[in-house]
Amino acid sequence: MLQGKTALVTGGAARIGAACVEALAAAGADVVVHFHSSGQEAQKVAESARARGVRAGTVRGDLASEEQTRAIFSSALELTGGIDILVNSASIFPGEPLGEAGFASLEENSRVNAWAPLLLSQLFASQKRYADRENAPEAEGLGNIVNLLDTRITDYDRHHAAYSLSKRSLFSITRMLSVEYAPAIKVNAVAPGLILPPRGEGPEYLRRMADTNPMRRCGSIADVTSALLFLITTTFITGQVIFVDGGRRTRGSMYGT
Ligand SMILES: NC(=O)c1ccc[n+]([C@@H]2O[C@H](COP(=O)([O-])OP(=O)(O)OC[C@H]3O[C@@H](n4cnc5c(N)ncnc54)[C@H](OP(=O)(O)O)[C@@H]3O)[C@@H](O)[C@H]2O)c1
């Protein structure tokens, strides 16, 4: 399905990002696994991609840094010669109410969760292959950017204010870039709900929260990766968000007081 394509996945060493790498490799894409601190895990993810017969490499960098974010993309280009698919999955998720969110936290969340995806998108779009913005390429030549959002963008999660603001910002960036980069590049997003417990929480967290969505269960990582592959392989969808949230966004105030 994606043979001959190359994907860069940020935060690809673990959890949902690693599953995105695996799904892309299983679909035949060569992959670049970005990581920050999980070097060994990134190597393992790349190894298991190679075992599927695709090319796979790793790049390290801190997405809070503009310089390192630029270096991540340059290294990915050096490894591969060109990127066809960019998946912005890396994220921070600090717990913090709005009343305590200072400039430092607001800025860090914005940098990692919104500005770095924007910068990577700009670098992605500046590749020569997408330079001709006026003439639509054939379907197989379309570039793809997919951003990982969060169903929280539709509601007010009082416990993760700076994170929620940054994801709303990434939602707006997704819509804006879908206009700016058409017709050569599609820009879409997946907004998961309850998939994995936050780091530091166990399965009990998911059990406790499952009742807050109409489907009364958690989603699986495969629910997220099938939305990802769908968005990448369709040719007429851009500026779209697929909510993989069991209908959670429809329920109104969901995150408690
Ligand atoms: N888990 C869920 O159920 C859920 C629900 C809603 C939305 N989402 C969204 O889906 C995406 C993936 O979720 P997840 O739970 O798998 O993510 P995660 O485990 O919280 O984080 C993914 C990766 O982000 C990387 N990262 C964090 N800070 C970084 C920095 N400064 N520079 C570079 N990389 C950095 C980390 O890489 P290293 O390990 O290499 O340091 C980490 O492995 C996120 O965008 C999240 O907001 C997830």
Side-chain angles (χ1 to χ4, degrees), residues 41-243:
E41 291 85 344
Q43 290 301 340
K44 281 189 193 146
V45 172
E47 266 165 39
S48 60
R50 283 192 286 270
R52 292 183 181 274
V54 302
R55 294 188 308 160
T58 61
V59 291
R60 185 189 174 280
D62 182 356
L63 292 166
S65 152
E66 178 175 350
E67 196 187 339
Q68 289 191 38
T69 301
R70 287 183 186 280
I72 289 164
F73 201 80
S74 306
S75 305
L77 283 184
E78 270 167 34
L79 277 176
T80 61
I83 303 290
D84 308 286
I85 300 162
L86 168 65
V87 180
N88 286 305
S89 179
S91 168
I92 55 172
F93 182 61
E96 189 179 47
L98 191 60
E100 289 169 20
F103 276 21
S105 164
L106 289 164
E107 183 172 336
E108 196 192 358
N109 278 272
S110 297
R111 279 178 176 268
V112 177
N113 298 352
W115 300 348
L118 171 59
L119 176 54
L120 289 173
S121 301
Q122 291 164 339
L123 296 167
F124 177 90
S126 70
Q127 295 177 93
K128 234 189 202 146
R129 59 183 71 186
Y130 303 124
D132 184 3
R133 294 271 163 69
E134 297 315 310
N135 294 307
E138 296 299 315
E140 61 274 13
L142 290 170
N144 274 284
I145 298 173
V146 181
N147 295 320
L148 269 292
L149 303 178
D150 191 308
T151 191
R152 286 173 174 82
I153 62 171
T154 61
D155 192 21
Y156 178 30
D157 173 5
R158 303 182 69 195
H159 307 294
H160 299 91
Y163 167 85
S164 298
L165 281 170
S166 67
K167 288 289 182 179
R168 279 170 192 247
S169 180
L170 186 57
F171 166 60
S172 297
I173 288 167
T174 303
R175 303 261 319 241
M176 291 176 191
L177 291 186
S178 72
V179 176
E180 296 295 332
Y181 294 164
I185 300 168
K186 289 148 54 203
V187 187
N188 289 299
V190 178
L194 269 188
I195 305 290
L196 295 178
R199 286 171 185 260
E201 300 269 6
E204 174 49 33
Y205 173 91
L206 296 180
R207 278 196 290 275
R208 204 172 59 237
M209 299 289 279
D211 243 13
T212 60
N213 71 59
M215 297 295 287
R216 297 196 177 179
R217 53 188 285 274
C218 307
S220 68
I221 282 186
D223 289 320
V224 175
T225 55
S226 54
L228 171 76
L229 291 180
F230 170 73
L231 287 171
I232 290 170
T233 52
T234 54
T235 57
F236 198 50
I237 296 179
T238 193
Q240 184 61 271
V241 180
I242 297 186
F243 286 87

